[in-house]
Amino acid sequence: MKKIVIAITVSFILVAGVVYANEEREIVSPESELYETVRIIEETAIELTKDTSEKTLLEDQYAEQRLLEAEEMFAVGNEDAGEKSLEDYSEHIEKIEKNIAVAKGNGKDVSEVESIVYENMEKRSENLLALLDRDDLPEQAKAGITKALDNKEKAKQRAEEARNRASAGRDNSNGAKGNGNAQGKAEQAKQKGQERAEQGKGNGNGNGNKPENAGRP
């Protein structure tokens, strides 16, 4: 474990120098010699992260990196690297959805994280559409972008359906509570009515005996 931590720390120091040197990009280019090291750091960070919400946010952060890389690679004419970055971007999005589904299945509230990642997806869709409008982009790359946009829309639709189901569940729960209270009140009213009826019968019998007993010596 210590070796892993040391390796990650050293790698971060090395990569930080490259990122600083390319501060205007804020990414390590797939053409850089340290790119593979960056990806190993990312994978290790995800593996060491146990909390599902934190893991999801990491995947979202790395998805952002992949899209920036794709834009840069297409800009410099490295179509293969651009397409690979787009494929990796889609994989991050799929893992985000999987993490959220697992968390919900375990009864964990990830609504805040879900809101963050889907808002970021909406913002990134503008970048994807801008790439799609480029005339110099190969058809295979456009197919990858279209797939990424489709995945985003499907993820958004599933999130909305999940929120609607949760909202309906809360409404049904509140309705059931309301019905339960109404039934309880009705039972109480019925019981009180029966008690009053019994009291009325008792009072009626007593009053009826009084005149009869009053006539006797």
Side-chain angles (χ1 to χ4, degrees):
M1 182 67 179
K2 288 183 179 179
K3 290 182 179 179
I4 294 176
V5 174
I6 293 172
I8 292 175
T9 303
V10 173
S11 299
F12 267 123
I13 293 173
L14 291 172
V15 172
V18 176
V19 174
Y20 179 77
N22 299 281
E23 191 174 358
E24 69 278 3
R25 286 188 318 207
E26 296 184 353
I27 63 168
V28 176
S29 170
E31 295 179 337
S32 169
E33 294 180 356
L34 289 176
Y35 183 72
E36 291 300 322
T37 304
V38 171
R39 297 303 299 271
I40 291 173
I41 292 173
E42 292 179 358
E43 292 172 5
T44 305
I46 290 175
E47 289 177 4
L48 294 177
T49 303
K50 303 303 179 184
D51 183 77
T52 310
S53 295
E54 293 179 6
K55 192 185 292 286
T56 302
L57 292 175
L58 276 179
E59 293 285 1
D60 183 61
Q61 177 184 333
Y62 299 149
E64 179 79 14
Q65 293 292 100
R66 300 294 86 78
L67 184 55
L68 291 174
E69 293 166 8
E71 290 177 327
E72 179 183 349
M73 291 300 95
F74 287 129
V76 299
N78 192 338
E79 297 173 358
D80 291 339
E83 290 171 9
K84 180 63 171 61
S85 292
L86 280 178
E87 290 176 5
D88 292 344
Y89 170 82
S90 295
E91 288 183 8
H92 285 302
I93 299 302
E94 290 173 4
K95 289 177 181 177
I96 287 172
E97 294 182 60
K98 182 179 178 180
N99 289 339
I100 290 176
V102 170
K104 288 182 177 180
N106 292 333
K108 187 175 182 179
D109 182 12
V110 289
S111 55
E112 183 177 355
V113 171
E114 191 175 21
S115 176
I116 292 172
V117 296
Y118 288 129
E119 182 178 348
N120 289 340
M121 284 185 193
E122 283 293 331
K123 292 178 180 178
R124 287 194 289 264
S125 65
E126 297 178 5
N127 300 65
L128 291 169
L129 288 170
L131 281 174
L132 197 60
D133 287 339
R134 292 182 52 161
D135 296 331
D136 59 337
L137 216 61
E139 290 302 319
Q140 187 172 352
K142 289 186 177 182
I145 295 171
T146 302
K147 180 182 177 182
L149 288 168
D150 288 342
N151 288 341
K152 187 270 297 183
E153 286 300 324
K154 290 177 182 177
K156 179 181 177 182
Q157 184 177 355
R158 283 192 289 268
E160 290 177 351
E161 290 173 353
R163 283 193 291 268
N164 291 336
R165 285 195 298 269
S167 178
R170 287 192 295 268
D171 292 342
N172 291 336
S173 177
N174 293 333
K177 289 180 180 179
N179 292 335
N181 292 336
Q183 291 175 355
K185 290 179 181 179
E187 290 294 333
Q188 291 177 359
K190 181 179 178 181
Q191 185 176 356
K192 288 181 180 180
Q194 290 176 346
E195 291 175 355
R196 289 176 182 173
E198 292 295 332
Q199 291 176 358
K201 289 180 181 179
N203 293 336
N205 291 337
N207 292 336
N209 292 331
K210 285 181 181 179
E212 182 179 350
N213 294 335
R216 295 178 181 179

